[in-house]
Amino acid sequence: MASLTLPKHSIPSPNQTLSPRHSLFSHNLPIISNSSQSQFYGLKVSYSSSLSIPSSSSSVKGSIFAKVNKGSAPPSFTLKDQDGKNVSLSNFKGKPTVVYFYPADESPGCTKQACAFRDSYEKFKKAGAQVVGISGDDPSSHKAFAKKYRLPYTLLSDEGNKVRKDWGVPSDLFGTLPGRQTYVLDKNGVVQLIYNNQFQPEKHIDETLKLLQSL
């Protein structure tokens, strides 16, 4: 059972007369806390529902705000691909590039999205575009994922989610689920489209192809 204890300055000294307000809040108040786990889109999600009283100095440190906008060049990076080789964003300059961030290898939604990119890969090639998938999985996980589903494009390992944070990819479900966001960069490396849709992963392919046809 969780309890709430107010800061020291709110607790009266022994010489003070207790007012009704003091006597109410100087006790530990029980808080009902419900916590459980569920399987969501192939990811284990742990959540806890409890009362919290923020202080006046509380902040939103855990929030991620958009850092990459349409018309801007995103932060550069160097990550390992499914073969353990270093790949930099600059390697893709000169051609339109689709960079899609997804939660995890093998989860149902991510598998649908990966296979949809695979099935439309010839259309992307025809548009002169490259496809790059990024998640926090390690290179060996990416290698197995790519082999199992015959993925013809690059998967990059963003262990620690540094690039995801640098790009400002928002999370879902109150921060418990990594976001599913796709960027289309033109041949100069400038962002022309940002598309976010966690629960309709296959729509990322439709939206990116529509944009690429107009470049």
Side-chain angles (χ1 to χ4, degrees):
M1 182 78 72
S3 64
L4 172 67
T5 304
L6 291 186
K8 291 181 179 179
H9 61 73
S10 66
I11 300 176
S13 68
N15 297 324
Q16 286 181 288
T17 302
L18 292 180
S19 66
R21 181 173 178 269
H22 281 135
S23 62
L24 172 63
F25 287 98
S26 62
H27 290 80
N28 287 340
L29 302 178
I31 300 172
I32 297 174
S33 177
N34 296 318
S35 53
S36 61
Q37 282 194 337
S38 62
Q39 198 76 10
F40 184 83
Y41 256 53
L43 296 176
K44 282 189 176 180
V45 179
S46 299
Y47 58 91
S48 175
S49 174
S50 62
L51 173 64
S52 63
I53 300 178
S55 67
S56 59
S57 61
S58 62
S59 62
V60 287
K61 291 180 181 178
S63 300
I64 295 179
F65 298 95
K67 296 180 181 178
V68 175
N69 299 300
K70 183 178 177 182
S72 68
S76 60
F77 61 72
T78 298
L79 299 171
K80 291 190 180 299
D81 67 8
Q82 61 261 53
D83 296 317
K85 298 177 181 177
N86 286 331
V87 175
S88 299
L89 180 62
S90 58
N91 294 157
F92 302 102
K93 204 166 183 179
K95 288 185 177 181
T97 304
V98 176
V99 178
Y100 79 95
F101 289 85
Y102 63 99
D105 294 339
E106 296 289 355
S107 66
C110 298
T111 300
K112 280 184 181 180
Q113 184 180 22
C115 291
F117 271 115
R118 176 199 65 196
D119 295 342
S120 296
Y121 191 64
E122 288 304 316
K123 293 179 182 178
F124 285 101
K125 284 177 65 177
K126 188 175 180 180
Q130 306 160 101
V131 176
V132 183
I134 301 178
S135 79
D137 300 288
D138 62 29
S140 61
S141 175
H142 280 340
K143 190 176 183 73
F145 187 51
K147 182 178 180 180
K148 182 176 180 179
Y149 296 103
R150 304 186 308 281
L151 306 181
Y153 50 86
T154 300
L155 295 179
L156 297 178
S157 178
D158 181 24
E159 294 184 83
N161 295 315
K162 183 182 183 304
V163 175
R164 179 182 287 273
K165 292 171 185 173
D166 288 346
W167 284 43
V169 179
S171 299
D172 294 303
L173 290 180
F174 307 102
T176 61
L177 184 64
R180 188 186 307 281
Q181 187 149 294
T182 296
Y183 300 82
V184 177
L185 282 58
D186 63 21
K187 64 181 181 179
N188 297 313
V190 176
V191 175
Q192 298 299 325
L193 174 74
I194 301 174
Y195 182 74
N196 185 295
N197 192 329
Q198 180 69 258
F199 307 111
Q200 293 177 296
E202 293 161 305
K203 285 202 71 175
H204 287 251
I205 287 75
D206 297 334
E207 294 300 320
T208 52
L209 282 172
K210 192 186 304 181
L211 186 281
L212 284 168
Q213 288 164 3
S214 68
L215 289 180

